[in-house]
Amino acid sequence: MRRPQPIAVLVLLFVLFGAVAQVVPLYTDLLWFQEVGYSQVFYTTLSTRGALFTALAVIVVIFLWANLTFAARTAAPDVLWELEDQLGLPGRVVIEPLIRRFLPAVLALIALAAGLRGSAHWDLVLGYLNRSPFKITDPLFGRDLEFYVFVLPFWRLLHGWATTLVVGTLVLTLAIYVLQRSLVLTARGPRLAAGARTHLLGLGALLLALRAIGFWLDRYELVFSPRGIVFGATYADIHASLPALGVLAVLSALCAGACVVQIMRPGIRLVASGLLVLAAAWVLGLGVVPGVMQRFWVTPNELVAERPFIGHNIRMTRHAYGLDRIEEKEFPAHEDLDARALERNEATIKNIRLWDHRPLLRTFAQLQEIRTYYKFTDVDNDRYVVNGEYRQLMLSARELSYPHLQSKIWINQHLTYTHGYGAVVGPVNRITAEGLPEFLLKDIPPQASGGFPKITQPAIYFGEISDEYALVRTRSQELDYPAGDQNVYTTYKGAGGIPLSSWLRTLAFAVRFGEKNFLLSNDLTGESRIMMHRSIAQRARQIAPFFRYDRDPYLVITDEGRLVWLLDGYTTSSRYPYSDPVPGIGNYIRNSVKVAIDAYDGRVDFYIADSSDPVVRVYSAAFPGLMKPLDEMPADLRRHLRYPEDFFTIQARKYGIYHMEDPQVFYNKEDLWGIPRRTIEGRDREMEPYYTVMRLPDEKKEEFILLTLFNPSRRDNMIAWLAARSDPPNYGRLIVYNFPKQKLVYGPRQIDARIDQDPVISQQLSLWNQRGSTVIRGSMLAIPIDKSLVYVQPLYLAAAEQGALPELRRVIVAYGNQIAMEATLEASLGRIFGARLTPESPGAETAAPARPGAPAAPSDPLRGLAQRAWEAWSRSQDALKRGDWSGYGAEQKRLEDALRGLSEGKR
C-alpha cells in the first residue's frame, strides 16, 4: 500500500483549515442573525453570493477548460520547429505531461478566485434586480436615473468580468501554444501553427467585440466626467468625446470582423491595419481633439459654451442633496429688540445652550463616572417635556470602558463586567452656585429629580464602546453597579444574546474568538448566552451593510424608562449624473433610515424615514421585512427624532455654492458662501452646526432645530443662516434666512474680535489667565430672536493642573454694537436690554448690578419709561468710554424714544 505523499497531506490540511475558517464564521453569523430576528437578510445575502459564486466559477471553468484543452490538443506542428526555438524551453515530452497534470488544479484555483471576487458584488446585483425608477431623466441622453444608478453599473460589471476572462484566457492560451511549440521564435521570425492562429484570432475577435461594447457604454459615463468646469459632461465631452466614442465602438466592431475575415486569409495585414486605425482614432478622438477644442474654442468663450452644462450641474446637484427642498425667507436682522421681546421669547432664552460639549464631558467625568471603569464618551442634545416645559437637555450614557478595568482577565472582561449603568441628564443652561451643571438625572442607581422620568432599566449592554462579546447567565457573578464599598450583582433577564445550548455552539464560538476558556470554563451552562456585535454602529452595519451610518448615535429615555439608541442611516450613490461629488460619500445622499437599538436586549429596528428615495425602496424590496414604515415607530421614540448633523453639514456646504442658480453668477462665483471659521483651542476650524430650541420667525411656538451660519467667501460678516426642523409635522424641512446684503451683520469671528478688543472683558480674561487658571471660551452661538440676532458665548474657568474641573463663570452676550459679560445669561441680557429676567439657576444674579443713583424699580408705566431712559443713558456712557460710536448712537436713539414717551405720558 502506497503511503500518502507529504505534499498531499499538507494540501488536505490546508483545504480542511480553509473550510473550517469559512464554515465557523458562517454558522455563528447565522445564529446571530436568528437572535436579532433578521435571518431572512442572512439567507438572501448568502443565496445571492452563492449564486454569483457558482455562476461565475462554472462559466470561468467551462470557458477556460474549452479554450485551454483545445490549445493543448491542437495538432503538433512540424518537429523541426522545436529545433529552431530560440527560447531554450524544455522539450514537449517534458511539458505536455505537466500541462495535463496541473491544468485541472490551475482551472479550479482560477474559478475559485473568480467566484469569490464576483460574489462580493452581491449588493450591486440585488440593486439591478430590484431597481426602482427615480422619475427624473438625465439632461444628455434622456434616460431615467434608474439606468445610471442601478442598470449601467451592472452592465459595466458584466463587461468587466467578460473582458477579464477573455484577456486571461488569451494569455493562458498563448502560454500553452508557446510551451507546446505551436508558437516559436526562430531565427527566421515567429512561426505560428494554423490551428493556433485560428484560435488566437477568434479570441482576439471576441476581445475586440467586448471593447466595442465598452466604448458604447463609455458614452453614458460622460455624465460623470470630472474634466470640465463642473462635474458632468461639458462642451468638449459632448462635441468631441461623445462622437469619438461612437466612432471607436464602430471601429472596434470592424476590427473584430477583420479578425474573423483574417482567419480565412494568410498573414495579419488586415488585422494590423485595423488595430493601427483604432489606436490612432483612440488617441486623436479621446486625447488630442477634446484638448484642442477645450483650449482653442471653449476656453476663450467658456461661459457661452458651458452655460447649459453649468445649468445641468446646478439642477442635478441641488436635487441629489435635497437642496431644491430648501425654502428661502428674508431675515431683516433688526436692532430694535427690547425687554418685551425677550419676555415673549422666554422659552427660547431658557434653552440657549451654555454648556459646551468638551468642558461638559470633562465635568461629567469628574462628577459622575463614580468608578474608573465607567466612561462618558459623548454628550447628546435632545429635547424633553419637563414639568410641562419644552426643554433642551444634554444626555450622556455611563458606559463600561474595558481598557480601564484594573484586572483584565478573561472572567472579568467577559463574564463579570458586562455592562454600563445609567446616564446623566441636565438642562443646557442651568448652573449651580459653584459654576457646575445641574442634574435632572445622576448617580448610581440613577436618581431623577425636577420632574424628569425615572429610568427603570439602566443597564447598558449595547453602546458606543461595548466590548467584542459578553457572556451572561453564567455561574459567575455579574456586576450590576457599585454601592459604596460593596458591589451589587445581577443575572441578565433580557432576551438578548445567543443561547449556548449545545456543545457544538460553544465549540463554534471558541473557534471564532480563538478562546479556549469557552471549553474549559465551569461557569458556562446550557442557559448561558453570548452577546456579540455590541457596538451600536457595528450592530446596525452587520445587519444592513449597504447603508451608511451617522457618526453620532444618541441615547433616548423612553416613557417606560428604558434606554434606546437612535442612529441615522443614509442611502448614497456615486452614480448620479452631473451631481457634484463629496469625497468618500458619492454624489447622492438621503437620510432614509432610522435605526432604534435597545441598550438592554440589543433589539434592532429599521424604519423608512424617506419613502420617496428610490434607493431605500430597492433594499426594501430586496429584503422584505427588514424595514418598517416610520409610523410604526413607538411614539415616545418618534418624538425624539432629530435632523442628523452629518447630513446637514453636507447639505450646508453644498448650499453655500449651489444656492446660486443662475449659471453666470455661478460661473463667476459672485455670491459664494462659506461656513464661518473660528479659532478653537488654537486651531482655525469650521464652526459646527448646533441644536437649539427656539421659535422661528413668524411661527407660533418653539421647536427643536439644527442651525448653521453662512458668511460670504473670504469675508467674516454674516450673510444667512440655515435651519433644519426636527419636530413633527415639519420634520426634515429646511429653511434658509437671508440677511439684507446692503446691511452689515457681524459674524462670529468679528464678534470674537470685538470681545478681545473690549477693555473690560480682555482685562478680566488676562487677569484670570495670570492667576493659575485657564479660561476656556465656549461655542459662539448665534440665536435668532424674533427678527434680530443675539450672540451668546459662555466662559469656563479651570485650574491649570491636570484633571481640573471646568466651571461656568461668565456669559458674554453681543447684540448689534453692544457687548456684556456677566455671571449669568439673564444678567448679561439685562445689561444690554434692561430686562429683569427670572434666573434659571438658583442663587444666580438676575440682572446687572445697579449703578449708583439709578432709580428704583418702577411701579407704574411712567416710572417704567424712566427706568428705560436711565438704562439707555447708562449704556450710552459705556459705549462712549469704549469709543463705540455706533453703539452710542443706538442708545441715544433709545433714550430719545423713552423721553418722548415720558413727555407724552405727562400730558
Side-chain angles (χ1 to χ4, degrees), residues 202-230:
L203 289 174
L206 183 57
L207 183 60
L208 286 166
L210 287 172
R211 185 60 264 176
I213 296 173
F215 281 130
W216 191 256
L217 294 178
D218 287 343
R219 297 167 66 251
Y220 298 107
E221 296 289 340
L222 289 177
V223 295
F224 310 113
S225 171
R227 295 187 297 267
I229 188 173
V230 292

PDB file of all heavy atoms in Angstrom, residues 202-230:
ATOM      1  N   GLY A 202      -9.699  34.098 -33.180  1.00  0.00           N
ATOM      2  CA  GLY A 202     -11.068  34.046 -32.649  1.00  0.00           C
ATOM      3  C   GLY A 202     -11.184  34.728 -31.293  1.00  0.00           C
ATOM      4  O   GLY A 202     -12.134  35.483 -31.048  1.00  0.00           O
ATOM      5  N   LEU A 203     -10.208  34.469 -30.409  1.00  0.00           N
ATOM      6  CA  LEU A 203     -10.216  35.153 -29.113  1.00  0.00           C
ATOM      7  C   LEU A 203     -10.016  36.655 -29.282  1.00  0.00           C
ATOM      8  O   LEU A 203     -10.627  37.460 -28.564  1.00  0.00           O
ATOM      9  CB  LEU A 203      -9.127  34.572 -28.205  1.00  0.00           C
ATOM     10  CG  LEU A 203      -9.375  33.154 -27.673  1.00  0.00           C
ATOM     11  CD1 LEU A 203      -8.145  32.651 -26.911  1.00  0.00           C
ATOM     12  CD2 LEU A 203     -10.604  33.130 -26.771  1.00  0.00           C
ATOM     13  N   GLY A 204      -9.159  37.041 -30.236  1.00  0.00           N
ATOM     14  CA  GLY A 204      -8.958  38.468 -30.498  1.00  0.00           C
ATOM     15  C   GLY A 204     -10.233  39.138 -30.982  1.00  0.00           C
ATOM     16  O   GLY A 204     -10.550  40.275 -30.593  1.00  0.00           O
ATOM     17  N   ALA A 205     -10.989  38.441 -31.837  1.00  0.00           N
ATOM     18  CA  ALA A 205     -12.263  38.992 -32.319  1.00  0.00           C
ATOM     19  C   ALA A 205     -13.233  39.186 -31.159  1.00  0.00           C
ATOM     20  O   ALA A 205     -13.929  40.215 -31.072  1.00  0.00           O
ATOM     21  CB  ALA A 205     -12.861  38.051 -33.366  1.00  0.00           C
ATOM     22  N   LEU A 206     -13.272  38.212 -30.252  1.00  0.00           N
ATOM     23  CA  LEU A 206     -14.158  38.328 -29.093  1.00  0.00           C
ATOM     24  C   LEU A 206     -13.746  39.498 -28.201  1.00  0.00           C
ATOM     25  O   LEU A 206     -14.602  40.267 -27.714  1.00  0.00           O
ATOM     26  CB  LEU A 206     -14.137  37.019 -28.306  1.00  0.00           C
ATOM     27  CG  LEU A 206     -15.067  36.930 -27.090  1.00  0.00           C
ATOM     28  CD1 LEU A 206     -16.515  37.191 -27.494  1.00  0.00           C
ATOM     29  CD2 LEU A 206     -14.939  35.559 -26.431  1.00  0.00           C
ATOM     30  N   LEU A 207     -12.436  39.653 -28.002  1.00  0.00           N
ATOM     31  CA  LEU A 207     -11.948  40.744 -27.166  1.00  0.00           C
ATOM     32  C   LEU A 207     -12.275  42.108 -27.793  1.00  0.00           C
ATOM     33  O   LEU A 207     -12.700  43.039 -27.092  1.00  0.00           O
ATOM     34  CB  LEU A 207     -10.440  40.607 -26.955  1.00  0.00           C
ATOM     35  CG  LEU A 207      -9.785  41.639 -26.035  1.00  0.00           C
ATOM     36  CD1 LEU A 207     -10.387  41.570 -24.632  1.00  0.00           C
ATOM     37  CD2 LEU A 207      -8.275  41.422 -25.972  1.00  0.00           C
ATOM     38  N   LEU A 208     -12.117  42.238 -29.085  1.00  0.00           N
ATOM     39  CA  LEU A 208     -12.428  43.500 -29.755  1.00  0.00           C
ATOM     40  C   LEU A 208     -13.933  43.778 -29.759  1.00  0.00           C
ATOM     41  O   LEU A 208     -14.356  44.940 -29.679  1.00  0.00           O
ATOM     42  CB  LEU A 208     -11.881  43.465 -31.184  1.00  0.00           C
ATOM     43  CG  LEU A 208     -10.353  43.622 -31.286  1.00  0.00           C
ATOM     44  CD1 LEU A 208      -9.858  43.238 -32.669  1.00  0.00           C
ATOM     45  CD2 LEU A 208      -9.942  45.051 -30.952  1.00  0.00           C
ATOM     46  N   ALA A 209     -14.750  42.737 -29.845  1.00  0.00           N
ATOM     47  CA  ALA A 209     -16.201  42.935 -29.754  1.00  0.00           C
ATOM     48  C   ALA A 209     -16.575  43.459 -28.367  1.00  0.00           C
ATOM     49  O   ALA A 209     -17.427  44.357 -28.237  1.00  0.00           O
ATOM     50  CB  ALA A 209     -16.924  41.628 -30.045  1.00  0.00           C
ATOM     51  N   LEU A 210     -15.917  42.912 -27.349  1.00  0.00           N
ATOM     52  CA  LEU A 210     -16.164  43.427 -25.996  1.00  0.00           C
ATOM     53  C   LEU A 210     -15.686  44.862 -25.865  1.00  0.00           C
ATOM     54  O   LEU A 210     -16.311  45.669 -25.173  1.00  0.00           O
ATOM     55  CB  LEU A 210     -15.444  42.536 -24.974  1.00  0.00           C
ATOM     56  CG  LEU A 210     -16.069  41.157 -24.725  1.00  0.00           C
ATOM     57  CD1 LEU A 210     -15.157  40.310 -23.858  1.00  0.00           C
ATOM     58  CD2 LEU A 210     -17.434  41.298 -24.069  1.00  0.00           C
ATOM     59  N   ARG A 211     -14.572  45.185 -26.518  1.00  0.00           N
ATOM     60  CA  ARG A 211     -14.085  46.570 -26.469  1.00  0.00           C
ATOM     61  C   ARG A 211     -15.064  47.512 -27.155  1.00  0.00           C
ATOM     62  O   ARG A 211     -15.265  48.662 -26.714  1.00  0.00           O
ATOM     63  CB  ARG A 211     -12.716  46.645 -27.143  1.00  0.00           C
ATOM     64  CG  ARG A 211     -12.008  47.984 -27.088  1.00  0.00           C
ATOM     65  CD  ARG A 211     -11.754  48.432 -25.668  1.00  0.00           C
ATOM     66  NE  ARG A 211     -12.806  49.341 -25.222  1.00  0.00           N
ATOM     67  CZ  ARG A 211     -12.908  49.840 -24.012  1.00  0.00           C
ATOM     68  NH1 ARG A 211     -12.044  49.510 -23.092  1.00  0.00           N
ATOM     69  NH2 ARG A 211     -13.881  50.647 -23.690  1.00  0.00           N
ATOM     70  N   ALA A 212     -15.728  47.060 -28.219  1.00  0.00           N
ATOM     71  CA  ALA A 212     -16.756  47.873 -28.882  1.00  0.00           C
ATOM     72  C   ALA A 212     -17.910  48.148 -27.919  1.00  0.00           C
ATOM     73  O   ALA A 212     -18.418  49.268 -27.831  1.00  0.00           O
ATOM     74  CB  ALA A 212     -17.251  47.159 -30.135  1.00  0.00           C
ATOM     75  N   ILE A 213     -18.325  47.103 -27.185  1.00  0.00           N
ATOM     76  CA  ILE A 213     -19.385  47.301 -26.188  1.00  0.00           C
ATOM     77  C   ILE A 213     -18.925  48.270 -25.113  1.00  0.00           C
ATOM     78  O   ILE A 213     -19.679  49.137 -24.653  1.00  0.00           O
ATOM     79  CB  ILE A 213     -19.786  45.946 -25.572  1.00  0.00           C
ATOM     80  CG1 ILE A 213     -20.404  45.042 -26.647  1.00  0.00           C
ATOM     81  CG2 ILE A 213     -20.761  46.149 -24.415  1.00  0.00           C
ATOM     82  CD1 ILE A 213     -20.670  43.618 -26.183  1.00  0.00           C
ATOM     83  N   GLY A 214     -17.655  48.143 -24.696  1.00  0.00           N
ATOM     84  CA  GLY A 214     -17.116  49.045 -23.679  1.00  0.00           C
ATOM     85  C   GLY A 214     -17.140  50.493 -24.120  1.00  0.00           C
ATOM     86  O   GLY A 214     -17.498  51.388 -23.337  1.00  0.00           O
ATOM     87  N   PHE A 215     -16.751  50.741 -25.384  1.00  0.00           N
ATOM     88  CA  PHE A 215     -16.797  52.119 -25.898  1.00  0.00           C
ATOM     89  C   PHE A 215     -18.232  52.646 -25.903  1.00  0.00           C
ATOM     90  O   PHE A 215     -18.476  53.823 -25.606  1.00  0.00           O
ATOM     91  CB  PHE A 215     -16.219  52.183 -27.306  1.00  0.00           C
ATOM     92  CG  PHE A 215     -14.718  52.183 -27.350  1.00  0.00           C
ATOM     93  CD1 PHE A 215     -14.028  51.306 -28.187  1.00  0.00           C
ATOM     94  CD2 PHE A 215     -13.982  53.054 -26.564  1.00  0.00           C
ATOM     95  CE1 PHE A 215     -12.644  51.307 -28.231  1.00  0.00           C
ATOM     96  CE2 PHE A 215     -12.596  53.062 -26.608  1.00  0.00           C
ATOM     97  CZ  PHE A 215     -11.935  52.175 -27.438  1.00  0.00           C
ATOM     98  N   TRP A 216     -19.164  51.780 -26.251  1.00  0.00           N
ATOM     99  CA  TRP A 216     -20.558  52.218 -26.286  1.00  0.00           C
ATOM    100  C   TRP A 216     -21.061  52.556 -24.876  1.00  0.00           C
ATOM    101  O   TRP A 216     -21.763  53.550 -24.683  1.00  0.00           O
ATOM    102  CB  TRP A 216     -21.424  51.141 -26.919  1.00  0.00           C
ATOM    103  CG  TRP A 216     -22.817  51.618 -27.225  1.00  0.00           C
ATOM    104  CD1 TRP A 216     -23.950  51.343 -26.544  1.00  0.00           C
ATOM    105  CD2 TRP A 216     -23.203  52.487 -28.291  1.00  0.00           C
ATOM    106  NE1 TRP A 216     -25.035  51.971 -27.110  1.00  0.00           N
ATOM    107  CE2 TRP A 216     -24.599  52.691 -28.206  1.00  0.00           C
ATOM    108  CE3 TRP A 216     -22.508  53.110 -29.330  1.00  0.00           C
ATOM    109  CZ2 TRP A 216     -25.298  53.479 -29.085  1.00  0.00           C
ATOM    110  CZ3 TRP A 216     -23.208  53.897 -30.216  1.00  0.00           C
ATOM    111  CH2 TRP A 216     -24.590  54.076 -30.090  1.00  0.00           C
ATOM    112  N   LEU A 217     -20.680  51.744 -23.897  1.00  0.00           N
ATOM    113  CA  LEU A 217     -21.062  52.048 -22.512  1.00  0.00           C
ATOM    114  C   LEU A 217     -20.340  53.287 -21.994  1.00  0.00           C
ATOM    115  O   LEU A 217     -20.886  54.027 -21.166  1.00  0.00           O
ATOM    116  CB  LEU A 217     -20.752  50.853 -21.611  1.00  0.00           C
ATOM    117  CG  LEU A 217     -21.571  49.574 -21.858  1.00  0.00           C
ATOM    118  CD1 LEU A 217     -21.119  48.470 -20.915  1.00  0.00           C
ATOM    119  CD2 LEU A 217     -23.061  49.834 -21.688  1.00  0.00           C
ATOM    120  N   ASP A 218     -19.123  53.531 -22.469  1.00  0.00           N
ATOM    121  CA  ASP A 218     -18.374  54.725 -22.044  1.00  0.00           C
ATOM    122  C   ASP A 218     -19.103  56.010 -22.411  1.00  0.00           C
ATOM    123  O   ASP A 218     -18.890  57.047 -21.768  1.00  0.00           O
ATOM    124  CB  ASP A 218     -16.977  54.742 -22.679  1.00  0.00           C
ATOM    125  CG  ASP A 218     -16.045  53.715 -22.056  1.00  0.00           C
ATOM    126  OD1 ASP A 218     -16.358  53.239 -20.950  1.00  0.00           O
ATOM    127  OD2 ASP A 218     -15.013  53.386 -22.675  1.00  0.00           O
ATOM    128  N   ARG A 219     -19.938  55.968 -23.416  1.00  0.00           N
ATOM    129  CA  ARG A 219     -20.708  57.157 -23.786  1.00  0.00           C
ATOM    130  C   ARG A 219     -21.554  57.633 -22.616  1.00  0.00           C
ATOM    131  O   ARG A 219     -21.667  58.825 -22.358  1.00  0.00           O
ATOM    132  CB  ARG A 219     -21.601  56.854 -24.991  1.00  0.00           C
ATOM    133  CG  ARG A 219     -20.830  56.498 -26.254  1.00  0.00           C
ATOM    134  CD  ARG A 219     -21.742  55.885 -27.330  1.00  0.00           C
ATOM    135  NE  ARG A 219     -22.707  56.839 -27.828  1.00  0.00           N
ATOM    136  CZ  ARG A 219     -24.009  56.776 -27.558  1.00  0.00           C
ATOM    137  NH1 ARG A 219     -24.489  55.813 -26.783  1.00  0.00           N
ATOM    138  NH2 ARG A 219     -24.824  57.685 -28.055  1.00  0.00           N
ATOM    139  N   TYR A 220     -22.162  56.673 -21.909  1.00  0.00           N
ATOM    140  CA  TYR A 220     -23.016  57.040 -20.782  1.00  0.00           C
ATOM    141  C   TYR A 220     -22.202  57.507 -19.574  1.00  0.00           C
ATOM    142  O   TYR A 220     -22.719  58.223 -18.719  1.00  0.00           O
ATOM    143  CB  TYR A 220     -23.891  55.845 -20.384  1.00  0.00           C
ATOM    144  CG  TYR A 220     -24.832  55.410 -21.491  1.00  0.00           C
ATOM    145  CD1 TYR A 220     -24.600  54.231 -22.197  1.00  0.00           C
ATOM    146  CD2 TYR A 220     -25.930  56.182 -21.841  1.00  0.00           C
ATOM    147  CE1 TYR A 220     -25.454  53.832 -23.218  1.00  0.00           C
ATOM    148  CE2 TYR A 220     -26.786  55.797 -22.856  1.00  0.00           C
ATOM    149  CZ  TYR A 220     -26.541  54.617 -23.545  1.00  0.00           C
ATOM    150  OH  TYR A 220     -27.389  54.242 -24.567  1.00  0.00           O
ATOM    151  N   GLU A 221     -20.945  57.110 -19.506  1.00  0.00           N
ATOM    152  CA  GLU A 221     -20.095  57.531 -18.390  1.00  0.00           C
ATOM    153  C   GLU A 221     -19.716  59.004 -18.482  1.00  0.00           C
ATOM    154  O   GLU A 221     -19.197  59.570 -17.519  1.00  0.00           O
ATOM    155  CB  GLU A 221     -18.826  56.677 -18.346  1.00  0.00           C
ATOM    156  CG  GLU A 221     -19.057  55.205 -18.079  1.00  0.00           C
ATOM    157  CD  GLU A 221     -19.501  54.921 -16.657  1.00  0.00           C
ATOM    158  OE1 GLU A 221     -19.278  55.786 -15.776  1.00  0.00           O
ATOM    159  OE2 GLU A 221     -20.088  53.843 -16.424  1.00  0.00           O
ATOM    160  N   LEU A 222     -19.956  59.631 -19.625  1.00  0.00           N
ATOM    161  CA  LEU A 222     -19.605  61.048 -19.772  1.00  0.00           C
ATOM    162  C   LEU A 222     -20.378  61.931 -18.796  1.00  0.00           C
ATOM    163  O   LEU A 222     -19.909  63.017 -18.442  1.00  0.00           O
ATOM    164  CB  LEU A 222     -19.863  61.516 -21.206  1.00  0.00           C
ATOM    165  CG  LEU A 222     -18.904  60.975 -22.275  1.00  0.00           C
ATOM    166  CD1 LEU A 222     -19.332  61.455 -23.652  1.00  0.00           C
ATOM    167  CD2 LEU A 222     -17.470  61.400 -21.986  1.00  0.00           C
ATOM    168  N   VAL A 223     -21.536  61.480 -18.351  1.00  0.00           N
ATOM    169  CA  VAL A 223     -22.304  62.305 -17.403  1.00  0.00           C
ATOM    170  C   VAL A 223     -21.625  62.348 -16.036  1.00  0.00           C
ATOM    171  O   VAL A 223     -22.052  63.087 -15.147  1.00  0.00           O
ATOM    172  CB  VAL A 223     -23.755  61.795 -17.249  1.00  0.00           C
ATOM    173  CG1 VAL A 223     -24.509  61.958 -18.559  1.00  0.00           C
ATOM    174  CG2 VAL A 223     -23.786  60.351 -16.771  1.00  0.00           C
ATOM    175  N   PHE A 224     -20.557  61.550 -15.848  1.00  0.00           N
ATOM    176  CA  PHE A 224     -19.764  61.584 -14.612  1.00  0.00           C
ATOM    177  C   PHE A 224     -18.360  62.142 -14.864  1.00  0.00           C
ATOM    178  O   PHE A 224     -17.457  61.936 -14.067  1.00  0.00           O
ATOM    179  CB  PHE A 224     -19.639  60.174 -14.018  1.00  0.00           C
ATOM    180  CG  PHE A 224     -20.947  59.452 -13.882  1.00  0.00           C
ATOM    181  CD1 PHE A 224     -21.226  58.334 -14.653  1.00  0.00           C
ATOM    182  CD2 PHE A 224     -21.911  59.904 -12.993  1.00  0.00           C
ATOM    183  CE1 PHE A 224     -22.434  57.665 -14.536  1.00  0.00           C
ATOM    184  CE2 PHE A 224     -23.120  59.247 -12.874  1.00  0.00           C
ATOM    185  CZ  PHE A 224     -23.388  58.124 -13.645  1.00  0.00           C
ATOM    186  N   SER A 225     -18.201  62.855 -15.964  1.00  0.00           N
ATOM    187  CA  SER A 225     -16.877  63.367 -16.333  1.00  0.00           C
ATOM    188  C   SER A 225     -16.417  64.450 -15.353  1.00  0.00           C
ATOM    189  O   SER A 225     -17.143  65.416 -15.094  1.00  0.00           O
ATOM    190  CB  SER A 225     -16.920  63.955 -17.750  1.00  0.00           C
ATOM    191  OG  SER A 225     -15.712  64.635 -18.035  1.00  0.00           O
ATOM    192  N   PRO A 226     -15.192  64.322 -14.819  1.00  0.00           N
ATOM    193  CA  PRO A 226     -14.683  65.350 -13.902  1.00  0.00           C
ATOM    194  C   PRO A 226     -13.777  66.362 -14.587  1.00  0.00           C
ATOM    195  O   PRO A 226     -13.153  67.181 -13.925  1.00  0.00           O
ATOM    196  CB  PRO A 226     -13.872  64.503 -12.903  1.00  0.00           C
ATOM    197  CG  PRO A 226     -13.322  63.388 -13.735  1.00  0.00           C
ATOM    198  CD  PRO A 226     -14.333  63.122 -14.840  1.00  0.00           C
ATOM    199  N   ARG A 227     -13.683  66.302 -15.932  1.00  0.00           N
ATOM    200  CA  ARG A 227     -12.662  67.092 -16.625  1.00  0.00           C
ATOM    201  C   ARG A 227     -13.052  68.545 -16.836  1.00  0.00           C
ATOM    202  O   ARG A 227     -12.194  69.398 -17.004  1.00  0.00           O
ATOM    203  CB  ARG A 227     -12.361  66.451 -17.987  1.00  0.00           C
ATOM    204  CG  ARG A 227     -11.728  65.087 -17.917  1.00  0.00           C
ATOM    205  CD  ARG A 227     -11.317  64.614 -19.312  1.00  0.00           C
ATOM    206  NE  ARG A 227     -12.459  64.456 -20.194  1.00  0.00           N
ATOM    207  CZ  ARG A 227     -13.120  63.328 -20.365  1.00  0.00           C
ATOM    208  NH1 ARG A 227     -12.766  62.250 -19.682  1.00  0.00           N
ATOM    209  NH2 ARG A 227     -14.135  63.239 -21.204  1.00  0.00           N
ATOM    210  N   GLY A 228     -14.339  68.852 -16.893  1.00  0.00           N
ATOM    211  CA  GLY A 228     -14.767  70.185 -17.280  1.00  0.00           C
ATOM    212  C   GLY A 228     -14.812  71.176 -16.131  1.00  0.00           C
ATOM    213  O   GLY A 228     -14.345  70.914 -15.016  1.00  0.00           O
ATOM    214  N   ILE A 229     -15.415  72.301 -16.402  1.00  0.00           N
ATOM    215  CA  ILE A 229     -15.519  73.357 -15.392  1.00  0.00           C
ATOM    216  C   ILE A 229     -16.422  72.932 -14.244  1.00  0.00           C
ATOM    217  O   ILE A 229     -16.280  73.403 -13.109  1.00  0.00           O
ATOM    218  CB  ILE A 229     -16.024  74.662 -16.048  1.00  0.00           C
ATOM    219  CG1 ILE A 229     -15.958  75.809 -15.054  1.00  0.00           C
ATOM    220  CG2 ILE A 229     -17.423  74.487 -16.607  1.00  0.00           C
ATOM    221  CD1 ILE A 229     -16.276  77.149 -15.666  1.00  0.00           C
ATOM    222  N   VAL A 230     -17.369  72.040 -14.531  1.00  0.00           N
ATOM    223  CA  VAL A 230     -18.235  71.458 -13.499  1.00  0.00           C
ATOM    224  C   VAL A 230     -18.243  69.948 -13.698  1.00  0.00           C
ATOM    225  O   VAL A 230     -17.818  69.435 -14.734  1.00  0.00           O
ATOM    226  CB  VAL A 230     -19.677  72.021 -13.567  1.00  0.00           C
ATOM    227  CG1 VAL A 230     -19.718  73.479 -13.169  1.00  0.00           C
ATOM    228  CG2 VAL A 230     -20.280  71.802 -14.952  1.00  0.00           C
TER     229      VAL A 230
END
